[in-house]
Amino acid sequence: MKEIRAPGSILLLGEYAITTTDGLGLAVAVEPYARAAYTADDAFSVTGIWPEGSTDKTKTWRLVGEHPSTLTIVEAVIELCEAFLAPLTLPRFRFTLDTRSFRGRAGKAGLGSSASGTVALAAAILDAADVPPARIRAAMPQLAVDAHRRAQQGKGSGYDVLTAWYGGIGVFRGGPIPGWSSVSLPWISHTHLVYGDESVSTPGAIDAFVAWTTRHPNEALEFHERSNAVVLRVAKTQDELEPNSEILELFREASLRGTKLGEAIGRPALITPERSIGRCIEEARSSVLKALGAGGELGIVIPADAECSRRLVECGVERVSCSDTGAIGFFHE
């Protein structure tokens, strides 16, 4: 039996901007991982296991069927892989896609489990079909981006897919064919993740953002340009071992801009951590708390200094655990 793993993802900067062509975002691959295990069998099949609330759900797929208009993630991956492999057929393997490690307090941890699962499964199917590693590297991650969008009715920037494929930290560039440039930011290991009560609907938030850009084109252009500038500036802080005053100020600016945009589009970009953790963050003066994504589910704390970071750990605020290895690592040149 073989297994391919793909990490989760968080977007530190660039929310909403990455949904536009050439919009930039700063993304980080994080634990946990989606796992696609596979072994030879009499026929092709995929069994998915994923968390739902406090329980696990399981379903087995064999073929997509008559090209339905709405597909699950697994069905979209099967459809795209089948088209890629044609005229050859899908490999006679039994695949098991397991994303249970993404379980959070509300069922999912909000770390890109569907994108990670898409990448792991697509790569596993191509590998089982004996596609050469060089060709897999060339086809991925766009095949996975297309499959993920196919399952979301064409929506999705693809940042989480590219993060799961490449791993590490990168500057993501939005567009029909998104791009990725890897960067090294040692200070990321001194930042902290916090969890909120519930997530804001990402598709609904994106629709609200698009409507806002149509009504306010000048403000939208200014937002796009400043958001990109902050991403590029933060990406250049590669020599910093810990967050410095410039990094804190850039994240503070991004947090305020995200809050104002959320208010303008009617989707508040707020993160409300547990009361005890919230008090700890408030006591860590000069530290920055920024909502990630559309808000509500995840946030990042940039501590003002090492002492603030230590106190946050004592309060149970976990540090960001960056995964340097994406699924691409299984396909060496």
Side-chain angles (χ1 to χ4, degrees):
M1 178 179 289
K2 294 182 66 176
E3 180 182 87
I4 289 178
R5 302 187 309 165
S9 59
I10 55 176
L11 184 70
L12 300 188
L13 296 166
E15 54 272 0
Y16 294 109
I18 61 170
T19 65
T20 65
T21 298
D22 292 331
L24 302 180
L26 183 65
V28 181
V30 295
E31 300 176 359
Y33 295 86
R35 290 175 163 81
Y38 47 111
T39 187
D41 201 6
D42 293 334
F44 173 87
S45 68
V46 178
T47 296
I49 310 172
W50 66 96
E52 188 169 297
S54 59
T55 62
D56 297 332
K57 292 291 185 179
T58 302
K59 182 176 179 179
T60 297
W61 292 262
R62 301 192 184 281
L63 291 173
V64 174
E66 297 298 324
H67 302 287
S69 58
T70 301
L71 298 178
T72 64
I73 288 292
V74 170
E75 290 167 342
V77 171
I78 294 173
E79 181 182 87
L80 269 291
C81 285
E82 188 174 28
F84 178 83
L85 294 171
L88 301 178
T89 59
L90 292 165
R92 293 184 178 182
F93 272 70
R94 181 175 69 253
F95 298 85
T96 301
L97 177 62
D98 191 340
T99 61
R100 286 176 293 179
S101 60
F102 284 82
R103 186 188 309 279
R105 287 177 300 169
K108 294 197 302 180
L111 299 173
S113 60
S114 66
S116 301
T118 299
V119 169
L121 180 59
I125 291 175
L126 298 187
D127 185 53
D130 288 329
V131 176
R135 192 176 176 213
I136 293 177
R137 291 171 67 97
M140 297 278 288
Q142 190 61 39
L143 185 150
V145 169
D146 292 341
H148 201 240
R149 287 174 175 167
R150 175 78 169 87
Q152 298 183 110
Q153 292 74 56
K155 295 182 179 179
S157 67
Y159 98 85
D160 42 5
V161 175
L162 267 66
T163 306
W165 174 247
Y166 289 109
I169 305 168
V171 174
F172 171 87
R173 183 179 295 275
I177 301 178
W180 177 274
S181 298
S182 295
V183 295
S184 176
L185 300 175
W187 55 266
I188 290 290
S189 63
H190 293 277
T191 61
H192 301 259
L193 274 182
V194 293
Y195 296 86
D197 295 329
E198 59 183 62
S199 64
V200 174
S201 169
T202 299
I206 292 175
D207 288 342
F209 172 70
V210 171
W212 175 79
T213 60
T214 301
R215 296 193 306 270
H216 305 281
N218 293 334
E219 291 90 335
L221 178 60
E222 181 181 357
F223 168 83
H224 183 278
E225 291 177 344
R226 187 54 196 164
S227 178
N228 278 5
V230 169
V231 170
L232 291 174
R233 187 66 199 93
V234 172
K236 292 180 179 179
T237 60
Q238 300 183 34
D239 295 330
E240 303 301 328
L241 299 180
E242 297 181 358
N244 60 15
S245 58
E246 180 187 22
I247 293 169
L248 284 162
E249 188 56 38
L250 289 168
F251 269 87
R252 185 174 288 110
E253 175 191 334
S255 178
L256 290 173
R257 184 171 53 253
T259 299
K260 290 180 180 179
L261 177 64
E263 293 172 351
I265 67 175
R267 300 294 192 279
L270 301 173
I271 178 74
T272 305
E274 293 180 359
R275 183 174 298 178
S276 60
I277 291 177
R279 284 199 303 268
C280 188
I281 295 172
E282 290 175 0
E283 292 171 0
R285 296 181 179 179
S286 299
S287 296
V288 177
L289 171 62
K290 177 185 177 295
L292 301 182
E297 191 169 24
L298 278 175
I300 189 166
V301 181
I302 314 295
D305 51 42
E307 176 61 21
C308 287
S309 181
R310 184 189 64 79
R311 292 182 63 187
L312 289 168
V313 171
E314 290 178 350
C315 290
V317 186
E318 66 182 82
R319 283 198 175 101
V320 172
S321 179
C322 178
S323 171
D324 293 329
T325 304
I328 192 174
F330 290 87
F331 304 98
H332 301 292
E333 292 183 286

